[in-house]
Amino acid sequence: MKVTQLNGVGPALTSKLEKLGLYTVQDLLFHLPSRYQDRTRLVPLHALRPKSACLIEGQITSCSLQRGRRVSLHVSISNNGVTLGLRFMHFHANQAKSFSTGRNIRCFGEIRPGPQGLEMVHPEYVLFDDEPPALADRLTPIYPTTEGLSLTRMGQLISLAWQQLEQGSITLKELLPRQLITQYQLPSLEQSLKQLHYPSLNQDLNQLQTQVTPAKLRLVLEELIAHQLTLSRAKQQSQQLAALAFLVKQGLEQALIKNLPFQLTNAQQRVWQEISDDLGTPMPMVRMVQGDVGSGKTVLAALAACRAIDNGCQVAVLAPTEILAEQHLHSFSQWFEPLDIHVVWLTGKQKAQKKRQSLATIASGEGQVIVGTHALFQEAVHYQHLGLVIIDEQHRFGVAQRHSLVKKAPPGSGLHQLVMTATPIPRTLAMSAYGDLDHSVIDELPPGRKPINSVLLNNIRRADVIERIHQACNSGQQVYWICPLIEASEVLQCEAAQDTAALLIQQLDNINVGLVHGRLSGAEKAEVMAGFKAGKIQLLVATTVVEVGVDVPNANLMVIDNAERLGLAQLHQLRGRVGRGQAQSHCLFMYQAPLSAMGRERLDILRQSNDGFVIAEKDLQLRGPGEVLGTRQAGTIGLRVADLMRDAHLLPAVKVIAEGYTPYPEKTAQLILRWIGNNQAFAKI
Ligand code: ADP
Ligand code: MG
């Protein structure tokens, strides 16, 4: 039953619902609250806690404009001798007038520490003179919505959907195995959904949000199984068509190894063996290689490329950013030129004529290794005989994007995929986020690397830091200075890379300062990076564009400004740009005081550990999976009731249960449709 069959649902509303992946009445029933609010009771002003959202009431005692960085409206209210401030940044003149002293106000909002004690910023409110408005009689579910679709409207739609269910116009099919239901004593699907949409009266908010009741467990299991099934389907689809089994030939591969100035580490050899085994069979490889920053993943990619070329195939090397792609172009060209392998460059920013040239060489098969960005899987690109795809920093790409590249294989043929990532993904997350990939881990760094010495520094010590840079540069070393944002933002107080560079140029005589940020053109960036690589630029001021892939062993000091603003994984990636040479390296994490307790704890983790896996696990505990994987990936996971941290212990069981669905493709499809839907990146592949 389509949503359009509900009363009052026209084309405008339909398209908003579609944005949320809601097409049918049944979809509405599975659109679950992301959280709840308690509007059933008033919280006395003396009992307010920062960061909690609550309902309060009081009498207006004053209303005034306050000047700060911008004008805001400040309303004081009081109740039983306790006062609280309300603050409005955006307001109309009429609104300001309506807050007259003596009137009563009821507000719902989040309590935050303000300049003058606790306050509520932009609460929802009603003014009243005599009769107070009624309290809610149950917890208020908060549904994910989209622009132009109010929470109230969403609530109404969901009750309409319930009516249809109760009238029997739609039914909910049982898709879980009977044995599972008995084993966990799960309630019916209808009961379970009802409890989440309409929590029973007086249920405790905290319990509801954190506890996994049998009703919730049922839904969590369904969702995790659906997720697992999607991943297995993705894997099946990428392995549906046979790929070319690459034979081991004593050609390029041996030559490459012979030319390397180093020996592969044991971990590299082991992972190469795993890759090599995969490549030798007609079953397409779908393997992810995880390895900490600097563990030497690129050379494995190069070896795999040699194997493919030895077997007459082309290789596409995909990177998420121009800088990283550039870096690969550099490494690959250096290794491949002596072997007479033709490397081609293809990015979106390339000039039309150059691009045409690249496209022609790719189509003719003359180009053997094609390095580039997203441009690699655009429609205009025709490969003569693509046999292997190498994707660096997988977490920047969705599953769907990866598959659009796989479609570039010769008709009727599969493709080997090698994915590399330096973002160490804790096991539980890897199982869920990348369940469609086989995994290899490079758990060893090349010999001779000295652990980076990391220090936390208050921003007020800038002068000392600048002096230290002076000394380092004068003694022939190179330095990175990282600024998290490109322009100074008043609110975030981040340093602008431009301003910082200007300032550093002023303060550092005779030091060559370069600047690189995302707004430079590809050619401009390349020029600066080449200058740094060649040692002409001594101090490189950069935004986080240098996060991945940049390799300048002579740089052994890094300063990261406003480190408290960045995620731990990102800081670890950045820091991995130093510590690549023989000299002892240092990383200075500068922060803007005051640092919150959580902020200090996070930065301390970095100070104490150089191990990406340890850092990722801790980050996961502190911030949750969405943040750790980055928004893009979190979007593709998009869990509604399950919580990967809380429910991690269920994953092994879920994997087994999902395997039991193999004989039931119909049920599998229905479960995926129910939980993942049609419109998600996953389902399209
Ligand atoms: P990442 O895994 O971060 O992509 P890279 O592949 O860029 O790391 O390698 C980092 C540096 O280590 C490069 O300069 C590379 O040439 C070097 N390297 C790779 N493997 C070895 C090894 N086995 N011994 C010594 N140096 C190595
Ligand atoms: Mg790399």
Side-chain angles (χ1 to χ4, degrees):
M1 190 170 174
K2 291 256 184 300
V3 283
T4 43
Q5 286 172 266
L6 291 176
N7 261 344
V9 180
L13 186 51
T14 308
S15 73
K16 281 176 199 145
L17 290 171
E18 277 175 9
K19 270 198 205 143
L20 293 165
L22 305 172
Y23 300 88
T24 65
V25 175
Q26 165 146 187
D27 287 342
L28 281 170
L29 296 179
F30 284 88
H31 191 60
L32 296 168
S34 48
R35 57 199 169 86
Y36 303 85
Q37 289 174 347
D38 189 353
R39 297 171 189 246
T40 64
R41 59 191 187 101
L42 290 167
V43 178
L45 298 190
H46 67 80
L48 297 178
R49 297 250 171 284
K51 290 214 170 137
S52 62
C54 59
L55 197 68
I56 54 154
E57 204 171 275
Q59 196 170 36
I60 297 176
T61 53
S62 72
C63 172
S64 59
L65 290 180
Q66 286 192 349
R67 275 164 221 291
R69 255 175 291 163
R70 65 211 272 195
V71 179
S72 67
L73 182 67
H74 190 260
V75 180
S76 277
I77 65 168
S78 116
N79 198 349
N80 281 332
V82 188
T83 57
L84 180 76
L86 312 177
R87 184 179 301 279
F88 298 84
M89 319 288 193
H90 313 280
F91 54 92
H92 311 295
N94 279 346
Q95 198 179 0
K97 264 190 233 146
S98 72
F99 294 121
S100 50
T101 309
R103 290 192 83 184
N104 293 314
I105 188 166
R106 160 102 43 101
C107 307
F108 186 87
E110 188 178 318
I111 301 293
R112 290 195 219 158
Q116 293 125 18
L118 293 181
E119 61 180 22
M120 238 186 211
V121 180
H122 274 280
E124 291 171 45
Y125 67 90
V126 242
L127 291 160
F128 63 97
D129 295 311
D130 322 305
E131 225 12 60
L135 293 169
D137 58 3
R138 51 163 42 116
L139 293 176
T140 313
I142 304 300
Y143 295 102
T145 61
T146 181
E147 216 182 307
L149 179 55
S150 71
L151 201 54
T152 321
R153 189 82 184 96
M154 183 58 94
Q156 287 165 351
L157 289 169
I158 287 171
S159 2
L160 286 176
W162 269 108
Q163 276 171 23
Q164 297 298 327
L165 181 69
E166 278 162 1
Q167 289 164 10
S169 329
I170 54 170
T171 49
L172 293 174
K173 204 162 167 189
E174 180 58 74
L175 296 173
L176 289 184
R178 195 178 308 277
Q179 191 226 332
L180 186 72
I181 296 173
T182 340
Q183 184 191 342
Y184 287 90
Q185 297 189 319
L186 301 174
S188 79
L189 182 54
E190 184 171 339
Q191 265 176 317
S192 306
L193 288 173
K194 189 148 199 166
Q195 265 196 37
L196 271 81
H197 283 297
Y198 305 109
S200 44
L201 295 181
N202 298 327
Q203 188 158 7
D204 180 72
L205 179 71
N206 240 337
Q207 260 185 11
L208 183 65
Q209 298 199 133
T210 52
Q211 244 181 21
V212 183
T213 56
K216 197 158 175 180
L217 176 64
R218 188 206 150 92
L219 300 175
V220 166
L221 281 168
E222 274 208 22
E223 182 169 38
L224 291 176
I225 295 168
H227 193 76
Q228 186 63 43
L229 290 171
T230 317
L231 290 170
S232 332
R233 191 167 73 172
K235 181 165 189 181
Q236 261 169 26
Q237 288 186 354
S238 48
Q239 295 189 324
Q240 222 164 24
L241 299 169
L244 191 66
F246 295 156
L247 303 176
V248 182
K249 304 197 173 168
Q250 299 301 323
L252 299 171
E253 203 180 307
Q254 289 308 323
L256 176 68
I257 290 183
K258 217 178 82 211
N259 289 348
L260 287 178
F262 50 76
Q263 282 213 317
L264 295 184
T265 61
N266 288 331
Q268 282 171 318
Q269 284 178 26
R270 171 173 46 75
V271 173
W272 168 235
Q273 192 57 52
E274 288 165 3
I275 297 170
S276 167
D277 289 348
D278 281 356
L279 291 176
T281 75
M283 172 80 102
M285 169 171 81
V286 269
R287 183 168 292 278
M288 170 185 267
V289 173
Q290 283 186 57
D292 209 344
V293 184
S295 60
K297 295 180 290 291
T298 324
V299 67
L300 298 186
L303 283 170
C306 285
R307 175 78 52 91
I309 297 162
D310 263 337
N311 282 271
C313 285
Q314 284 174 305
V315 180
V317 181
L318 174 66
T321 65
E322 296 249 334
I323 288 208
L324 182 50
E326 211 42 90
Q327 193 75 36
H328 282 318
L329 180 71
H330 182 86
S331 317
F332 283 101
S333 304
Q334 209 177 13
W335 285 326
F336 288 165
E337 242 160 54
L339 307 181
D340 260 343
I341 297 174
H342 188 129
V343 182
V344 187
W345 175 240
L346 186 72
T347 72
K349 288 192 180 157
Q350 230 168 352
K351 294 245 160 55
Q353 198 203 339
K354 289 258 177 211
K355 195 169 199 167
R356 261 199 306 278
Q357 260 172 20
S358 293
L359 288 175
T361 14
I362 297 168
S364 73
E366 188 195 330
Q368 293 165 294
V369 176
I370 302 97
V371 181
T373 55
H374 297 76
L376 292 185
F377 50 76
Q378 272 151 15
E379 251 174 67
V381 192
H382 299 285
Y383 296 85
Q384 202 259 339
H385 198 292
L386 188 60
L388 170 68
V389 175
I390 296 169
I391 301 176
D392 205 3
E393 292 309 320
Q394 152 76 8
H395 70 290
R396 309 287 187 93
F397 298 99
V399 180
Q401 278 172 307
R402 185 150 54 79
H403 278 257
S404 55
L405 192 46
V406 171
K407 290 200 195 103
K408 298 281 184 191
S413 164
L415 205 57
H416 295 293
Q417 300 171 57
L418 179 63
V419 205
M420 303 190 290
T421 181
T423 309
I425 306 150
R427 228 182 73 81
T428 48
L429 261 193
M431 269 176 78
S432 356
Y434 305 117
D436 62 327
L437 301 164
D438 294 319
H439 292 259
S440 298
V441 180
I442 309 182
D443 51 7
E444 180 187 0
L445 292 179
R449 295 271 168 84
K450 298 203 180 86
I452 301 160
N453 170 36
S454 299
V455 184
L456 308 189
L457 275 180
N458 190 325
N459 207 9
I460 52 174
R461 306 261 314 266
R462 269 178 123 69
D464 300 347
V465 172
I466 291 172
E467 179 48 36
R468 187 154 170 189
I469 295 176
H470 214 153
Q471 285 171 8
C473 290
N474 282 336
S475 66
Q477 297 162 16
Q478 286 174 282
V479 182
Y480 291 99
W481 181 298
I482 311 293
C483 310
L485 286 188
I486 183 171
E487 260 169 343
S489 139
E490 210 192 8
V491 187
L492 296 175
Q493 292 188 349
C494 277
E495 297 284 344
Q498 277 132 334
D499 293 355
T500 308
L503 204 82
L504 290 170
I505 289 170
Q506 229 175 47
Q507 300 191 349
L508 292 163
D509 303 337
N510 310 325
I511 305 272
N512 226 333
V513 180
L515 170 65
V516 59
H517 55 69
R519 292 197 188 160
L520 296 182
S521 74
E524 286 168 322
K525 270 188 237 168
E527 192 186 323
V528 179
M529 294 313 296
F532 191 56
K533 204 159 174 109
K536 280 188 233 138
I537 291 174
Q538 295 160 283
L539 168 62
L540 182 66
V541 179
T543 54
T544 47
V545 293
V546 300
E547 185 186 339
V548 283
V550 176
D551 189 22
V552 180
N554 191 43
N556 55 12
L557 175 60
M558 175 175 277
V559 180
I560 304 181
D561 228 346
N562 294 103
E564 78 280 6
R565 298 274 172 219
L566 294 172
L568 286 192
Q570 201 176 13
L571 288 168
H572 177 64
Q573 286 272 330
L574 283 167
R575 174 173 65 179
R577 300 307 110 212
V578 294
R580 296 182 161 237
Q582 293 305 311
Q584 172 67 53
S585 289
H586 303 272
C587 186
L588 313 181
F589 295 107
M590 297 231 285
Y591 62 86
Q592 182 75 46
L595 202 53
S596 67
M598 160 88 123
R600 170 156 303 269
E601 195 178 342
R602 294 180 54 224
L603 291 178
D604 261 338
I605 294 173
L606 282 170
R607 199 166 54 81
Q608 287 160 9
S609 177
N610 268 303
D611 181 334
F613 280 87
V614 172
I615 292 166
E617 285 284 358
K618 292 258 170 73
D619 202 18
L620 188 63
Q621 284 160 14
L622 287 175
R623 292 193 310 154
E627 297 284 327
V628 173
L629 286 174
T631 40
R632 191 170 301 187
Q633 194 58 47
T636 44
I637 293 185
L639 295 171
R640 303 180 200 188
V641 274
D643 174 325
L644 287 181
M645 286 298 282
R646 184 194 61 203
D647 305 323
H649 65 284
L650 295 171
L651 290 170
V654 162
K655 221 175 153 139
V656 176
I657 301 165
E659 278 158 18
Y661 276 78
T662 317
Y664 311 104
E666 181 74 0
K667 274 194 181 171
T668 304
Q670 284 169 342
L671 203 57
I672 290 179
L673 186 66
R674 180 181 281 175
W675 286 100
I676 316 286
N678 268 325
N679 71 329
Q680 294 242 351
F682 270 142
K684 282 198 200 118
I685 44 183

